Amino acid sequence: MAGEDTTAKARHGGREARRRERSHKATGPGRPYIVRNIPTYDVLSEENLLKIEAAADRILAETGIEFRDDDAVLGYWKAAGAKVDGTLVKFEPGMLREILKTAPAEFTQHARNPANSVQIGGRNVVFAPSYGCPFVMDLDRGRRFGTLQDFQNFIKLAQSSPWFHHSGGTICEPTDVPVNKRHLDMVYAHIRYSDRPFLGSITAEERSEDSIDMARIVFGEEFVDQNCVIMGNVNVNSPLVWDGTMTKSLRAYARAGQGSVIVPFILGGAMGPVTNAGAIAQALAETMAGCAITQLERKGAPVIFGNFLSSMSLRSGSPTFGTPEPAIGSMVIGQLARRLNLPLRCSGNFTTSKVPDAQAMTESVMSMLAAIHCGANFILHSAGFLDGLLSMSYEKFMLDADLCGALHSYLDGVKIDDNQLAVDAFAEVGPGNHFFGCAHTMANYETAFWDSETADNEPFEKWEANGSTDAATRANRLWKEKLREYQAPHLDEGIDEALKDYIAKKKASMPDAWY
Amino acid sequence: MAGEDTTAKARHGGREARRRERSHKATGPGRPYIVRNIPTYDVLSEENLLKIEAAADRILAETGIEFRDDDAVLGYWKAAGAKVDGTLVKFEPGMLREILKTAPAEFTQHARNPANSVQIGGRNVVFAPSYGCPFVMDLDRGRRFGTLQDFQNFIKLAQSSPWFHHSGGTICEPTDVPVNKRHLDMVYAHIRYSDRPFLGSITAEERSEDSIDMARIVFGEEFVDQNCVIMGNVNVNSPLVWDGTMTKSLRAYARAGQGSVIVPFILGGAMGPVTNAGAIAQALAETMAGCAITQLERKGAPVIFGNFLSSMSLRSGSPTFGTPEPAIGSMVIGQLARRLNLPLRCSGNFTTSKVPDAQAMTESVMSMLAAIHCGANFILHSAGFLDGLLSMSYEKFMLDADLCGALHSYLDGVKIDDNQLAVDAFAEVGPGNHFFGCAHTMANYETAFWDSETADNEPFEKWEANGSTDAATRANRLWKEKLREYQAPHLDEGIDEALKDYIAKKKASMPDAWY
């Protein structure tokens, strides 16, 4: 197993340092994660869910899935009783469900600051920033390739916000670092600038292992073997293909007892059928197969059922995001994931808009609320996307963070007790009078309503006197203010040194690769 | 009863003209209304609903509601067994529920074009434009007082869109027409420029009666007496006061067998408590009382249970809209309305933003989706609001219309049949291939996905080459294009003449009043 030497280094740091590290208090004013107080929104009947499951079973049994991995995965499938023909694997109905029974319905992903550890599954909801953009944007400089500086900035902005619970993964590609080395800088940045949980690399097996090794430096080998401290987010090559890079990475995470997020990527009309029910059946088939590999690699390894439905503009052939069909389709994915007893990942803000405008938020709120309603436990892409998921926008990040804040109150639902019902307040105030200064208002106003940081609720005249700003302009001011005010969470020096040593050695061991 | 002379005039037009009129085909490509294919989103348990109902019962029995009407309403309450003390009325638990049993659970509001008649209640959803703004805005001219020209323009824009089912009411105030005469021009404009159902005036009893008389000219007296062809939208003076103007207007509509929409206006912290459960209990009490008056006036008169929850910024004292607490609270209002077996009205797009920007659509989508999920049958304020409900924006109207379009697909839900499940398409396409040209795609692509008129889904480079527009700019182009292309629906000349005569006589009978 890679990384023995460097975890030894950490031990030198050492066990005591880690204990001190983990006793540190949460820095943010937020909750470590949300426990939803509203039910999921179940739109389909049992009868129709069974039809979708039957369709998925037929896809798995009749068309099958291709695994472009080495012999290991194909060997696993053979041993499990699947029909393997070259790289094509066909599954008897029920086989994957049986394998998935060993996966946990709920698990903890530990943060280096234990006050920030998150519980994934059940009624819990965790927000993480967006993932995977090659570009970044802001109102001052427009669109450009992302850099390590941008990457660090977004981690800092997320860490500063009480509305995220997870630091995410490849928030943007740091394109100024060689492709084969950037995972080291990314994982380090998550550890250094945030004290929340995070995702590791999945772009190659060795990069996944490096990511896990770095987590071992922080948490200790023994702890990592018994607890989930890092996860990898892997995609299906939809339709019905699992790429070897992905299966090797997810196996690396599973082997180490770490989490995997298994996500099809279906644009209806391109990587799947144009009809929602068909795309959902396909997603179920692809995701079950990926999740099952984790259990074949190591029984009980944490795994999250992922959802990424979207559609195409059938006029232009462009992908579309935040449209109504994937939004309502997500409700069904949620029902199916719960029937498998697996935690659910959904995507939050999705948009094809190139600016943080009305279109951007129309599409983003549509997809974010779908994730909320369908019962997602881990909402990746909670903040920042513009440009068909190609650009992270600083302004959009702040607008989305604000929406995440609103959703904390939304997920609290409507609480019912004597104070909430306020019957005495009516007796006090009486018909025709106002509630501004009544005892009930005074006792409750501080916690009553969520308050936006980017919305302008002032009267028109006051708004005009203040410069007639739009939300994007206010978000532009806000992210600069937040970056100026950012304070790094405490990190033990010994651990920090060990991480830097690990990175330096790894970087020295290979030439730069730029593609 | 007012209007006898002028309906006689219409008869002259006459009965045959109306028959011809009603045999005309729907002009728009849309559906007359939506039949939802997804369930409502019920967030509260039976036990907690009972607690809210009990709280409403206590408010009604212990604090009571004030009715600032003449003796008629107070007499009704006395006769019904309520405790009347001056203008304050207290109700025994269950009394209002009993009275409400004669109200229809579902009814038809007829349009002058019968293809556009809408069914209100049950699983049906009807979208109508926003209502009541003194100001209008567009990107070219900024904010200004609304005029009759603006009023007509918005009716034309709504009529041109396939995504509305109802022409609404006071879309903006035509402030260039005297206050006491504008209802005549407004009702005429709805009839002249739209062939969908509409709302009449409620700002005075005689204006309500004028509105109904004009409807009699269009539909004939006998038809109007037996069918709902017009509705009035009346507000409670929350907390717990019913103003005489409102009760007289709603009684005028009920007396004529026409519809009423009964709507509290509760900004938590001002006209109601800061806690959601209390505001909901208050809304239930106020709305039940208003709805009950319609049944005391005329048993079986159509009435809609209205919902208008919002909150205050407890920092600035400004009203806020599109925030999370009223959104989730609406789900509970929906459950309570269904337990009363009454159709439900909710508000659609709500925002305090002064421009059609990211804030505007964040708040609007939040409140519009709440209306969709909570099971609203009649969604007033579906399009146009900005500026804390003070301004109708031309651009926002187009962005909201687009959202209404998306919601048609959303409400269709996920359909399950062999074609939708597309199992054969997987066999045809196989792993790793695309679905672009497969038989299933070719057979389904035209109806597969909703297509936005205001979103830009193009790649960044193409968007840049096209002028780097934002959604508001595209909406600005679109409303001008739609107004240029607008074609008035057919209106029988005899009816038109009779309406004009009625208006001329009415206007000549009173001096201009400007406040």
Side-chain angles (χ1 to χ4, degrees):
Chain A
M1 193 177 287
E4 283 295 325
D5 54 342
T6 51
T7 52
K9 184 112 200 162
R11 233 178 257 128
H12 194 66
R15 199 176 290 252
E16 178 55 22
R18 287 194 299 272
R19 197 202 54 74
R20 278 199 310 276
E21 188 53 27
R22 289 209 292 272
S23 68
H24 198 70
K25 278 269 178 79
T27 41
R31 318 175 200 169
Y33 54 91
I34 304 171
V35 181
R36 67 187 297 142
N37 191 35
I38 55 174
T40 56
Y41 186 26
D42 295 343
V43 301
L44 228 51
S45 64
E46 165 89 13
E47 183 193 349
N48 280 329
L49 291 170
L50 287 168
K51 284 183 186 163
I52 291 185
E53 289 171 345
D57 282 347
R58 279 192 58 195
I59 294 167
L60 287 164
E62 295 169 19
T63 303
I65 295 184
E66 215 182 306
F67 292 84
R68 298 178 181 164
D69 197 352
D70 54 30
D71 286 345
V73 163
L74 298 169
Y76 287 170
W77 288 132
K78 261 182 216 154
K83 223 187 294 175
V84 179
D85 180 8
T87 54
L88 187 68
V89 182
K90 294 180 177 175
F91 308 86
E92 284 300 305
M95 184 189 140
L96 294 176
R97 286 174 189 280
E98 195 54 40
I99 295 171
L100 287 172
K101 285 184 177 161
T102 56
E106 191 175 325
F107 64 91
T108 305
Q109 183 183 356
H110 294 266
R112 71 175 178 89
N113 178 346
N116 289 337
S117 294
V118 296
Q119 195 67 10
I120 296 180
R123 298 181 68 84
N124 310 305
V125 183
V126 168
F127 292 153
S130 293
Y131 184 110
C133 290
F135 301 104
V136 298
M137 285 179 173
D138 65 57
L139 291 188
D140 308 297
R141 288 176 293 169
R143 189 207 215 208
R144 60 194 189 278
F145 278 105
T147 64
L148 185 58
Q149 176 75 60
D150 291 310
F151 184 88
Q152 293 166 349
N153 282 346
F154 281 113
I155 292 178
K156 291 175 183 177
L157 289 173
Q159 169 77 10
S160 312
S161 169
W163 309 127
F164 299 101
H165 317 107
H166 196 283
S167 193
T170 307
I171 304 190
C172 67
E173 283 289 340
T175 62
D176 51 346
V177 180
V179 168
N180 58 338
K181 298 179 178 176
R182 45 180 88 139
H183 64 289
L184 300 164
D185 292 326
M186 289 196 278
V187 169
Y188 177 74
H190 279 296
I191 297 169
R192 184 70 199 84
Y193 301 111
S194 169
D195 60 358
R196 294 189 176 133
F198 61 94
L199 301 172
S201 176
I202 48 81
T203 54
E205 185 174 17
E206 66 272 20
R207 295 175 203 158
S208 304
E209 287 178 340
D210 287 350
S211 304
I212 299 165
D213 278 343
M214 289 175 73
R216 289 189 177 107
I217 294 174
V218 178
F219 291 90
E221 265 190 77
E222 208 180 308
F223 189 84
V224 171
D225 188 57
Q226 297 303 315
N227 295 282
C228 173
V229 301
I230 189 169
M231 300 197 293
N233 184 77
V234 295
N235 276 117
V236 187
N237 267 23
S238 306
L240 304 175
V241 173
W242 267 100
D243 183 85
T245 308
M246 292 296 106
T247 49
K248 281 176 188 146
S249 284
L250 76 85
R251 284 166 48 214
Y253 281 94
R255 190 158 58 240
Q258 302 307 300
S260 304
V261 193
I262 309 293
V263 197
F265 181 8
I266 302 175
L267 293 176
M271 302 89 121
V274 289
T275 49
N276 228 344
I280 292 166
Q282 175 188 346
L284 179 60
E286 292 175 345
T287 312
M288 283 202 297
C291 291
I293 296 173
T294 65
Q295 300 308 300
L296 297 177
E297 185 72 32
R298 175 166 165 172
K299 278 192 174 53
V303 63
I304 300 178
F305 187 101
N307 166 29
F308 193 120
L309 285 178
S310 205
S311 62
M312 305 266 304
S313 164
L314 293 162
R315 246 181 326 139
S316 69
S318 296
T320 60
F321 296 105
T323 50
E325 295 84 4
I328 197 70
S330 294
M331 307 305 156
V332 180
I333 298 271
Q335 293 182 271
L336 295 167
R338 283 186 290 283
R339 288 161 69 89
L340 283 168
N341 214 17
L342 291 177
L344 174 67
R345 183 213 112 163
C346 278
S347 303
N349 79 99
F350 269 1
T351 179
T352 55
S353 180
K354 270 62 74 180
V355 279
D357 66 347
Q359 178 191 343
M361 292 314 291
T362 301
E363 294 172 344
S364 287
V365 179
M366 178 73 92
S367 65
M368 190 67 178
L369 276 177
I372 294 294
H373 290 134
C374 79
N377 302 110
F378 181 61
I379 304 186
L380 194 63
H381 310 313
S382 286
F385 270 150
L386 278 184
D387 185 19
L389 325 190
L390 289 174
S391 298
M392 275 298 282
S393 153
Y394 280 84
E395 289 79 19
K396 179 71 164 22
F397 190 88
M398 302 314 290
L399 295 168
D400 288 332
D402 210 45
L403 176 61
C404 288
L407 294 170
H408 278 66
S409 295
Y410 188 87
L411 282 159
D412 274 348
V414 176
K415 291 179 179 158
I416 308 292
D417 59 34
D418 285 347
N419 177 55
Q420 294 288 322
L421 287 166
V423 177
D424 295 341
F426 294 100
E428 180 190 350
V429 172
N433 298 313
H434 66 71
F435 285 72
F436 285 116
C438 80
H440 182 264
T441 299
M442 297 315 285
N444 288 281
Y445 80 97
E446 279 180 338
T447 54
F449 302 124
W450 171 78
D451 208 350
S452 166
E453 269 196 307
T454 62
D456 184 304
N457 303 318
E458 299 291 354
F460 185 88
E461 294 71 19
K462 201 164 171 189
W463 166 80
E464 210 171 22
N466 286 338
S468 306
T469 55
D470 65 3
T473 305
R474 294 189 295 273
N476 178 272
R477 289 180 196 158
L478 193 60
W479 69 257
K480 290 172 186 169
E481 186 187 314
K482 297 288 181 188
L483 277 187
R484 272 195 309 273
E485 289 173 359
Y486 166 81
Q487 291 192 314
H490 171 78
L491 178 64
D492 178 85
E493 274 179 33
I495 290 176
D496 194 28
E497 281 308 311
L499 287 167
K500 284 177 178 160
D501 282 359
Y502 180 90
I503 294 169
K505 274 189 197 149
K506 277 279 164 180
K507 283 193 173 179
S509 74
M510 48 187 164
D512 290 354
W514 286 101
Y515 50 88
Chain B
M1 194 175 287
E4 284 296 323
D5 54 342
T6 50
T7 51
K9 184 112 196 159
R11 233 178 258 129
H12 193 67
R15 199 175 288 250
E16 179 52 23
R18 286 194 301 272
R19 197 203 53 76
R20 280 199 309 275
E21 189 54 27
R22 288 208 295 272
S23 68
H24 198 70
K25 278 270 178 76
T27 42
R31 318 175 200 170
Y33 54 89
I34 304 171
V35 181
R36 65 187 297 143
N37 191 34
I38 54 174
T40 56
Y41 185 28
D42 296 343
V43 301
L44 227 53
S45 65
E46 165 90 12
E47 183 193 349
N48 280 330
L49 292 170
L50 286 169
K51 285 183 186 163
I52 291 185
E53 289 171 344
D57 282 347
R58 278 190 59 195
I59 294 167
L60 288 164
E62 296 169 20
T63 303
I65 295 183
E66 215 182 306
F67 291 84
R68 299 178 181 164
D69 197 352
D70 54 30
D71 287 343
V73 163
L74 298 169
Y76 287 170
W77 289 132
K78 262 180 214 154
K83 223 187 294 173
V84 179
D85 180 10
T87 55
L88 188 67
V89 181
K90 294 180 178 176
F91 308 85
E92 285 300 304
M95 183 188 142
L96 294 176
R97 286 174 188 280
E98 194 55 38
I99 295 171
L100 288 172
K101 284 185 177 161
T102 57
E106 190 174 327
F107 64 91
T108 305
Q109 183 183 357
H110 293 268
R112 71 174 178 89
N113 178 346
N116 289 337
S117 294
V118 297
Q119 195 68 11
I120 296 180
R123 298 180 69 84
N124 309 305
V125 184
V126 168
F127 292 153
S130 293
Y131 184 111
C133 290
F135 300 105
V136 299
M137 285 179 173
D138 65 57
L139 292 189
D140 307 297
R141 288 177 293 170
R143 189 207 216 208
R144 58 194 190 279
F145 277 106
T147 64
L148 186 58
Q149 177 74 60
D150 290 310
F151 185 88
Q152 293 166 349
N153 282 347
F154 281 114
I155 292 178
K156 292 176 183 177
L157 290 173
Q159 169 76 10
S160 312
S161 169
W163 309 127
F164 300 101
H165 318 107
H166 197 283
S167 194
T170 307
I171 304 188
C172 67
E173 284 287 341
T175 63
D176 52 346
V177 180
V179 168
N180 58 338
K181 299 180 177 176
R182 41 180 90 137
H183 64 289
L184 300 163
D185 291 327
M186 289 196 279
V187 169
Y188 177 74
H190 278 296
I191 296 169
R192 183 71 199 86
Y193 301 111
S194 170
D195 61 357
R196 294 188 176 134
F198 61 94
L199 300 173
S201 174
I202 48 81
T203 54
E205 185 174 18
E206 66 273 19
R207 295 176 203 157
S208 304
E209 287 179 340
D210 288 349
S211 304
I212 299 165
D213 278 345
M214 289 175 73
R216 288 189 178 107
I217 294 175
V218 178
F219 291 90
E221 266 189 74
E222 208 182 308
F223 189 83
V224 171
D225 188 57
Q226 297 303 315
N227 296 280
C228 174
V229 301
I230 190 169
M231 300 197 294
N233 184 77
V234 296
N235 275 118
V236 186
N237 267 23
S238 305
L240 304 174
V241 174
W242 267 100
D243 184 84
T245 308
M246 292 295 107
T247 50
K248 281 176 189 147
S249 284
L250 76 84
R251 284 167 48 214
Y253 281 94
R255 193 158 57 239
Q258 302 306 300
S260 304
V261 193
I262 308 293
V263 197
F265 181 7
I266 302 175
L267 292 176
M271 302 89 121
V274 290
T275 49
N276 229 344
I280 293 166
Q282 175 187 346
L284 178 59
E286 292 176 344
T287 313
M288 283 202 297
C291 291
I293 297 173
T294 65
Q295 300 308 301
L296 297 177
E297 185 71 32
R298 176 167 165 170
K299 279 193 174 53
V303 62
I304 300 178
F305 186 102
N307 167 28
F308 193 121
L309 284 178
S310 205
S311 61
M312 306 266 304
S313 164
L314 294 161
R315 244 182 329 138
S316 68
S318 296
T320 59
F321 296 106
T323 50
E325 296 85 2
I328 196 69
S330 295
M331 307 306 157
V332 179
I333 298 272
Q335 293 182 272
L336 294 167
R338 282 188 290 283
R339 287 161 70 89
L340 284 168
N341 213 18
L342 292 177
L344 173 67
R345 183 213 110 162
C346 278
S347 303
N349 79 98
F350 269 2
T351 179
T352 55
S353 181
K354 270 62 75 179
V355 279
D357 66 346
Q359 178 190 344
M361 293 314 291
T362 300
E363 294 172 343
S364 287
V365 180
M366 178 72 93
S367 65
M368 190 68 179
L369 276 178
I372 294 295
H373 290 135
C374 79
N377 302 109
F378 180 60
I379 305 186
L380 193 63
H381 310 313
S382 286
F385 270 149
L386 279 182
D387 185 19
L389 325 190
L390 288 174
S391 298
M392 275 298 283
S393 153
Y394 280 84
E395 289 80 20
K396 179 72 163 22
F397 191 87
M398 302 314 290
L399 296 167
D400 288 333
D402 210 46
L403 176 61
C404 288
L407 294 170
H408 278 67
S409 296
Y410 188 86
L411 282 159
D412 274 348
V414 176
K415 291 178 181 160
I416 308 292
D417 59 32
D418 285 347
N419 177 54
Q420 294 288 320
L421 287 166
V423 176
D424 295 342
F426 294 100
E428 181 190 348
V429 172
N433 298 314
H434 65 72
F435 285 71
F436 286 115
C438 80
H440 182 263
T441 299
M442 297 314 285
N444 289 281
Y445 80 98
E446 279 181 337
T447 55
F449 301 124
W450 172 77
D451 207 351
S452 166
E453 270 195 306
T454 61
D456 184 305
N457 303 317
E458 300 291 353
F460 185 88
E461 294 71 18
K462 203 164 168 189
W463 166 80
E464 210 172 24
N466 287 338
S468 306
T469 56
D470 65 3
T473 305
R474 294 189 296 273
N476 178 273
R477 289 178 196 159
L478 193 60
W479 70 258
K480 291 172 185 168
E481 186 187 313
K482 297 288 182 188
L483 276 187
R484 274 195 308 272
E485 289 172 359
Y486 167 80
Q487 290 194 313
H490 171 77
L491 177 64
D492 178 84
E493 275 179 32
I495 290 175
D496 195 27
E497 282 308 309
L499 288 167
K500 284 175 178 162
D501 282 359
Y502 180 91
I503 293 169
K505 275 188 194 147
K506 278 279 164 180
K507 284 192 172 176
S509 74
M510 49 188 165
D512 290 355
W514 286 102
Y515 50 86

